[in-house]
Amino acid sequence: TTIDRDPWPPPHKHPRMSRFARKGKAPKGFEAIEQTLAALETELRDKVNEGHEGKRKVEAIWPIHQINWQRSRYVYDMFYKYKKISREVYEYCIRMKLIDAALIAKWKKPGYERLCSTYVINTKNYKFGTVSICRVPKHALGPDTIVEDPHTGCLGCSSGPGGQRNIFGNKYGQYLASIQVARDQERERRRALKDAAAGGAAEDARAAVASAGGKGKAAAAEEVADEDADTDEGGEEGPMPDTVWAVNEEERNMESISSKASAEAEREAAKAVARAGGGDGGG
């Protein structure tokens, strides 16, 4: 007698579809950020699944807070600062929970532009009803004070002069929107140069091939083909990076919050704290 068995794995246990494919088709323009979001999702999954040997227990959750910040900052900057995505795409990311809407809401307030996580401003999470040390402005700390929030790994996310540009001190504190926009501009520059030189280069190439004879003609044709290939791959400037994170010091130093805006934010935050007699960690 044969026994009918349920299929394995059950239908609901099959590999999950991408988060981007749930709740209907993504809106037009989502492709501008899809590659970066997919890279961050993969990175988060890998970090969650990797071993925690040699780490403190709290360090295991650092990547969760940090990648959540980077993913939210990326979409926030692409929409608000660079205008590279539509409101429809931005709201789709919120609806799909691809970004942290509560954290973004805080970034819009003076003094919270760099906030690493809403966790660090919840006074219930810290002793004596305070907030994390990472929220204390640098100028208010002693010269030898070590800043590192135990729950997020943040090295300081207060606004104002002297603030930490990369709040985590690693690749998760990089401003990916700034990096992507700069690379797109570089691609456009290279494409414009290539198009501008194409006419003259083509004429020179045909003349070189026509004037060569025998083996020289074949060598000239091969040289022209090699030059075209080099141009397609980036030429002497090299190919464009294939990672969403910074590959050089210039990209690592990019940020989307200007020092002027941060200084103004700190002044506004100080006024607000003075009026409220405390507040919840702005500054």
Side-chain angles (χ1 to χ4, degrees):
T1 303
T2 59
I3 300 176
D4 292 333
R5 297 182 182 276
D6 292 332
W8 185 261
H12 68 281
K13 291 295 185 181
H14 282 295
R16 296 183 305 166
M17 68 172 66
S18 168
R19 295 176 65 184
F20 312 144
R22 299 178 194 168
K23 299 183 181 179
K25 184 179 179 181
K28 182 179 179 180
F30 181 74
E31 61 274 8
I33 59 176
E34 185 171 8
Q35 180 180 353
T36 297
L37 291 179
L40 290 172
E41 185 176 15
T42 299
E43 183 77 9
L44 178 59
R45 183 169 58 248
D46 292 344
K47 287 297 179 180
V48 170
N49 292 334
E50 74 176 11
H52 302 145
E53 294 80 7
K55 296 181 181 179
R56 290 175 293 166
K57 185 176 181 180
V58 291
E59 289 183 47
I61 64 172
W62 285 5
I64 297 175
H65 286 287
Q66 295 176 4
I67 295 175
N68 176 68
W69 180 91
Q70 188 170 59
R71 182 167 50 194
S72 300
R73 172 59 64 180
Y74 168 69
V75 175
Y76 177 87
D77 286 344
M78 289 293 280
F79 177 60
Y80 283 105
K81 181 175 177 63
Y82 296 110
K83 317 295 183 186
K84 295 296 185 180
I85 59 174
S86 65
R87 178 167 291 278
E88 184 181 9
V89 172
Y90 175 71
E91 293 179 347
Y92 172 81
C93 291
I94 293 177
R95 187 172 67 252
M96 297 284 287
K97 301 187 185 304
L98 299 177
I99 57 179
D100 190 334
L103 180 59
I104 287 176
K106 285 295 183 183
W107 287 342
K108 298 176 183 178
K109 297 181 178 181
Y112 292 87
E113 293 84 359
R114 301 178 191 275
L115 181 65
C116 65
S117 171
T118 54
Y119 185 96
V120 302
I121 57 173
N122 187 338
T123 56
K124 296 180 181 179
N125 296 328
Y126 297 89
K127 295 179 180 179
F128 313 115
T130 61
V131 296
S132 173
I133 190 173
C134 69
R135 294 297 303 148
V136 181
K138 191 176 183 66
H139 63 76
L141 296 169
D144 299 323
T145 303
I146 297 176
V147 177
E148 182 182 85
D149 181 78
H151 305 285
T152 68
C154 179
L155 305 178
C157 59
S158 63
S159 300
Q164 188 80 12
R165 175 184 285 116
N166 184 322
I167 65 173
F168 302 120
N170 57 30
K171 68 179 184 179
Y172 304 134
Q174 295 171 3
Y175 293 83
L176 300 187
S178 298
I179 293 172
Q180 179 174 325
V181 170
R183 289 177 182 174
D184 287 343
Q185 292 173 346
E186 174 62 15
R187 288 190 185 92
E188 287 300 320
R189 185 189 70 82
R190 293 187 183 187
R191 188 177 295 113
L193 289 175
K194 180 180 178 181
D195 292 344
E203 290 297 327
D204 291 343
R206 282 193 290 270
V209 172
S211 62
K215 293 183 179 180
K217 187 173 183 179
E222 184 177 350
E223 182 177 347
V224 170
D226 288 342
E227 289 178 355
D228 289 342
D230 288 341
T231 301
D232 291 338
E233 294 177 3
E236 294 180 359
E237 297 175 295
M240 294 299 293
D242 59 357
T243 174
V244 301
W245 289 283
V247 296
N248 54 50
E249 198 63 25
E250 181 181 1
E251 290 186 342
R252 280 188 285 273
N253 287 331
M254 289 180 178
E255 60 178 322
S256 61
I257 304 171
S258 67
S259 57
K260 180 180 179 181
S262 295
E264 292 174 351
E266 181 172 280
R267 287 194 292 270
E268 290 299 320
K271 293 178 183 177
V273 170
R275 288 195 299 269
D280 58 352

